[in-house]
Every structure is written in C-alpha cells, then in structure tokens.
Amino acid sequence: MDRPTDPREPGPPDDDLDYRHLGGRVHYAAHQRGVDVTAFGQLVLLLPGTVMSLLVVVLVSGGLDAWLGIPFWVPPLLWLVSGALLFHRPTEDFLARHLLRLQRPMPDEYARLAPVWREVTARAGVDGRTYELWIEDSDDLNAYAAAGHIVGVTRFALDHLTSSQLAAILAHELGHHTGGHVWTSLLGQWYALPGRAAWYVIRLIVGFAISVTSSFSWPATAALILVIAVFTYSTITLLYGLPLVLLVTPYLIAAVGRRAELRADQHAAALGFGPTLAQVLVAMHAAETEAGHRPEAAAGARPGAPGMAARLLSTHPDYPTRLHRLRPYLEPDR
C-alpha cells in the first residue's frame, strides 16, 4: 500500500470520490437498520443499570404517592415511555444543538456534504434522507453518530479531507446507525440516569456524614462506617449481588464499545472505503500522538502510554489495532 497522505495538511480538498451511484437508480435494502451482536451485548450489559434505576424510580414513586397523592404507577410509566422521546425529531434537534453543540450545515457546506453522503448511503442500500447532517465547529478531525438520526462531522474534517476520505468517516458513522450501536448506547445511558443520580447523592451524604463525625471523635466515625458497611451488605444481599455487577459493567461496556468501532470500520471498508479510512486513521493517530507529547514535553516528562485502567475504560480501540483489522480490505484484489 502506498504511504497514506496526511489529510490534515492545508489546502482545498480534492473531489476524488467515485460517484458510481450519483444520478443513478438506488436499490434500498429491505432492512436498513438492525441490532448486531455488539449492540445486543450492549443492551444486555446495560440491563443491570436499568434495573437499579427502576428501583430508584419505584422508591421515589412511593414517596410521591404518600406525600402528593400521585398514583404509584405514573412515574415509572413516564420514565419508561420517555426513552421514545430521544428519537423524536424535535428532541433530537434540541440534543444536537444544545448538548452536542452541532450546527446545521451552511449552503456551501451542505453542497459539499450532500453528494458524498448520497454516495455512501447508496452503496449501503440505505435511504440517506432518514438521517440529518450536522456540523461541529471544531478544529479536530472527527465525526459523530448520535440519537436515532444524527450524523455529524467537524468543520475541520469537512475543509481538509478529500471527498473519498470524508466518505470513509461518514460510512463509519453510518455503520454505527445501521448496526444499532447508537440507539442502544443512548437508551442505556438515559435509563441509567436515575441510578447514577442516586449514587451521586449517596456519595455526597456519606462523605458529608463521615466528615462531620470525624470532627467529633474517631469512635463516632468508626461507628458510622460500621453502619454504612452493614447497610451496604444488607442491600447487596437483598438485591442478590446486583450492585456488585455494576462495578465491572463499565469495563465490559467499554470492551463492547471497542468491538462496535471495529465493526463500523468493517462496514465502511466493505463499502469500498478501506484504503481512505486507513489514511484518516493514520492521520488521526499522528495528530493524537503529537497533541499528547506537547504537554508532556513542556513539563519535561517523558511521553508515555495511557494506564491500564484508562485503556480498559476506553470505548475506542487503539489505532494500530484498527489499522490491523483493515488490512484484508487494503489488498489490491479487494
């Protein structure tokens, strides 16, 4: 394979994409979305957090029923139904603008994006009009798939990538949508919010209580810690060890997320964008390495790799692994 060009080099992007479907008949696949094995695994791993959140909502519902007379079943039902709002187009628009800080493409940006996106979706047999294209005003080389219909790309990528390289990263993000990775992750994070909020409150209360008792005497602190330990043990026993599962769940979810990235890479490569995706990954690796070395060099420290915990919690594989998995698609006969 020839040495990849660096898409971060300044200069106007070249329109080097083979628009084999532009202006022609497009055949859409019967099933344009699915749930692959990584998305299904993500749903399974997010189930314990969802159950814990449901328990929190049920406890809150009991208090609201006793104090305000709100029927016990209303809060859990509203909480369960609220997940559907995440795929409501106006709600997605709000999330894109105010949470993800994305912008609608300007006319010239849309003119650049639209034919590339149409070629990508046509090769995949997907109706591209199902999705909304967004721009992030960022100097990073990146792209996003979010909610049910959001596909975002940074302005830097739009301005500096060639058309085929831009198509490669868009095909990668489309793979997240068609594989079900995006909506399973979003629903899992949404339904885990009550449990995370309860855990945050518990940590604040325990920390405050220990700091208060420690100002009096160490026996009071020891007694409080003992009470907390007994309560924790009783809770774990009552819930059949479910809270312990939550301790390892983030590591398992991160591992599944890394697998989802590899599958999205494979999706883009299968559409014919393997070599250009490799070019982008090489450039991103170089930029990330340079950015990581700068602060360490300024501090006089030697550059080093992330720690074991950081690697285990990363939702993206390292670039050498991704490039290695793309090797079969870089052969001349592919």
Side-chain angles (χ1 to χ4, degrees), residues 6-332:
D6 187 351
R8 297 180 68 92
E9 293 177 355
D14 299 321
D15 194 3
D16 60 346
L17 181 61
D18 176 18
Y19 296 97
R20 64 185 69 168
H21 293 91
L22 192 61
R25 183 184 297 272
V26 177
H27 299 280
Y28 295 141
H31 301 285
Q32 299 187 17
R33 289 176 183 256
V35 179
D36 64 20
V37 63
T38 55
F40 181 77
Q42 201 164 39
L43 283 176
V44 172
L45 292 174
L46 292 170
L47 187 59
T50 303
V51 172
M52 290 297 296
S53 290
L54 179 60
L55 293 176
V56 172
V57 174
V58 168
L59 290 175
V60 173
S61 299
L64 293 176
D65 188 12
W67 297 337
L68 303 177
I70 298 176
F72 177 82
W73 54 270
V74 170
L77 179 62
L78 292 178
W79 174 68
L80 291 172
V81 173
S82 66
L85 291 176
L86 298 176
F87 307 101
H88 182 231
R89 292 299 183 115
T91 305
E92 285 191 2
D93 188 274
F94 179 85
L95 292 175
R97 292 180 186 276
H98 302 287
L99 185 62
L100 301 177
R101 303 297 183 185
L102 302 178
Q103 306 169 4
R104 292 287 187 182
M106 298 293 287
D108 59 327
E109 294 171 336
Y110 186 77
R112 167 120 164 86
L113 268 176
V116 176
W117 179 242
R118 187 182 189 280
E119 179 61 30
V120 169
T121 54
R123 292 192 191 188
V126 171
D127 187 356
R129 296 168 297 181
T130 304
Y131 302 92
E132 298 284 346
L133 297 174
W134 293 82
I135 303 293
E136 182 190 23
D137 190 11
S138 171
D139 291 332
D140 294 330
L141 176 55
N142 211 344
Y144 309 92
H149 309 90
I150 295 174
V151 176
V153 63
T154 62
R155 184 163 283 114
F156 184 95
L158 187 65
D159 292 340
H160 290 77
L161 293 182
T162 66
S163 294
S164 60
Q165 291 168 344
L166 183 61
I169 63 173
L170 290 176
H172 173 94
E173 303 308 330
L174 179 63
H176 282 310
H177 276 298
T178 58
H181 310 154
V182 183
W183 70 265
T184 54
S185 175
L186 181 63
L187 278 184
Q189 293 176 16
W190 174 253
Y191 284 130
L193 283 178
R196 290 178 180 176
W199 174 241
Y200 179 75
V201 172
I202 290 173
R203 287 176 57 189
L204 286 180
I205 294 174
V206 170
F208 177 76
I210 291 178
S211 64
V212 170
T213 55
S214 62
S215 63
F216 291 102
S217 63
W218 68 264
T221 304
L224 177 61
I225 293 176
L226 178 62
V227 170
I228 294 173
V230 171
F231 177 78
T232 302
Y233 176 78
S234 302
T235 303
I236 292 174
T237 303
L238 181 64
L239 297 177
Y240 301 99
L242 182 61
L244 295 178
V245 177
L246 298 178
L247 297 177
V248 299
T249 297
Y251 297 94
L252 298 177
I253 291 177
V256 173
R258 293 192 292 271
R259 182 63 182 174
E261 290 298 322
L262 295 175
R263 293 184 71 91
D265 285 346
Q266 183 181 17
H267 177 268
L271 297 180
F273 301 113
T276 48
L277 180 60
Q279 293 175 5
V280 176
L281 292 178
V282 167
M284 294 176 71
H285 186 204
E288 186 176 287
T289 302
E290 180 183 356
H293 285 185
R294 266 194 231 109
E296 292 171 332
R302 296 181 58 186
M308 177 64 73
R311 293 198 299 271
L312 291 176
L313 288 172
S314 175
T315 57
H316 283 64
D318 58 77
Y319 290 107
T321 298
R322 296 177 69 175
L323 290 166
H324 175 74
R325 293 300 184 92
L326 284 176
R327 285 181 60 186
Y329 297 92
L330 306 182
E331 302 297 331

